[in-house]
């Protein structure tokens, strides 16, 4: 993936919010993202599919649930950008409610 393709993909706020949460948490399923972002399941699934098709995310089936995580073979420049976004203090404040809603979920591993 070239830089212009990556940044164009992240021009959608829902995709960047999904990517940030997944980068911070390691792996998340659709139901965790729908709760954290307060968006519908079809909308979240559509954005995750775009991130997966671009090669940024991979999915892993665990029982009946599908979890999404960062691809292990991302180019170094791309991983640095994601790490920078993940560690950004201003973005953590901007999207603090997403993280708070995620961590308030009572049945996280079996929520779907």
């Amino acid at each position: 993936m070239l830089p212009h393709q990556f940044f164009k993909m992240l021009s959608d706020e829902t995709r960047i919010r999904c990517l940030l949460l997944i980068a911070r948490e390691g792996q998340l399923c659709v139901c965790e993202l729908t709760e954290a972002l307060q968006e519908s399941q079809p909308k979240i699934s559509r954005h995750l599919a775009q991130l997966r098709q671009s090669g940024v995310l991979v999915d892993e089936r665990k029982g009946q649930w599908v979890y999404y995580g960062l691809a292990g073979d991302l180019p170094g420049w791309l991983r640095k950008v994601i790490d920078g976004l993940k560690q950004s203090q201003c973005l953590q404040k901007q999207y603090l409610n997403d993280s708070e809603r995620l961590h308030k979920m009572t049945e996280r591993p079996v929520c779907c």
Side-chain angles (χ1 to χ4, degrees):
M1 175 180 295
L2 295 172
H4 73 278
Q5 295 167 318
F6 175 68
F7 290 112
K8 184 177 179 181
M9 182 186 58
L10 289 186
S11 66
D12 183 89
E13 185 180 18
T14 301
R15 282 193 292 276
I16 199 161
R17 288 168 69 196
C18 286
L19 181 63
L20 283 171
L21 281 174
I22 291 168
R24 288 182 184 138
E25 298 294 323
Q27 282 190 329
L28 292 172
C29 67
V30 174
C31 67
E32 291 170 315
L33 289 163
T34 59
E35 179 67 25
L37 276 57
Q38 297 291 285
E39 298 286 354
S40 70
Q41 183 273 324
K43 181 176 181 177
I44 296 295
S45 292
R46 185 174 61 250
H47 288 293
L48 290 172
Q50 286 182 292
L51 288 164
R52 190 185 72 241
Q53 289 168 353
S54 72
V56 174
L57 295 182
V58 293
D59 58 350
E60 178 184 357
R61 183 167 289 280
K62 294 181 182 179
Q64 63 188 50
W65 318 129
V66 177
Y67 289 83
Y68 293 85
L70 292 177
D73 60 350
L74 293 175
W77 69 266
L78 186 52
R79 187 156 301 275
K80 286 181 185 179
V81 170
I82 292 171
D83 287 343
L85 292 170
K86 179 175 75 172
Q87 295 177 18
S88 166
Q89 293 298 319
C90 66
L91 289 178
Q92 286 181 11
K93 290 177 186 172
Q94 178 71 31
Y95 299 119
L96 180 63
N97 291 335
D98 294 349
S99 294
E100 287 177 348
R101 282 189 295 268
L102 178 66
H103 291 286
K104 285 181 183 176
M105 289 181 71
T106 57
E107 300 180 23
R108 277 196 55 198
V110 292
C111 61
C112 299

